[in-house]
Amino acid sequence: GDVRKMVSEDNQPYILQAEDERGLSSALDGLLKNRSCREKIGCANRAKVLQLYSQQKMFAAYQQLFEEALHTR
């Protein structure tokens, strides 16, 4: 999946290439030193999950997927 699309906009700058060890170290260091930034990102991620990825929405999406699969047989 595309993690960058799953997280909040505030979190996206912290999604780095796997081989960017220096960038990851710098990003984590910045987050460790900035509690309010961590809290802001956490709240934004939670809000996005509740809006887009709730259990009810997931069940509805799977139901639609299964119904479409059954109708194309």
Side-chain angles (χ1 to χ4, degrees):
D2 191 350
V3 174
R4 189 175 298 277
K5 290 181 181 179
M6 294 173 65
V7 299
S8 70
E9 194 172 309
D10 293 328
N11 196 155
Q12 290 176 5
Y14 298 94
I15 308 299
L16 306 167
Q17 296 295 319
E19 56 277 346
D20 187 3
E21 295 173 10
R22 189 167 282 150
L24 177 61
S25 175
S26 176
L28 291 175
D29 187 53
L31 286 172
L32 285 170
K33 293 176 180 175
N34 191 337
R35 180 183 181 140
S36 65
C37 183
R38 292 192 312 267
E39 290 174 349
K40 180 181 176 187
I41 290 171
C43 288
N45 283 333
R46 179 173 170 72
K48 185 167 185 173
V49 164
L50 293 175
Q51 178 186 17
L52 299 177
Y53 304 109
S54 70
Q55 187 178 40
Q56 185 177 15
K57 288 185 180 190
M58 182 186 67
F59 289 161
Y62 274 110
Q63 181 177 356
Q64 181 179 354
L65 180 68
F66 292 145
E67 287 174 1
E68 289 173 5
L70 289 173
H71 292 299
T72 59
R73 291 182 99 198

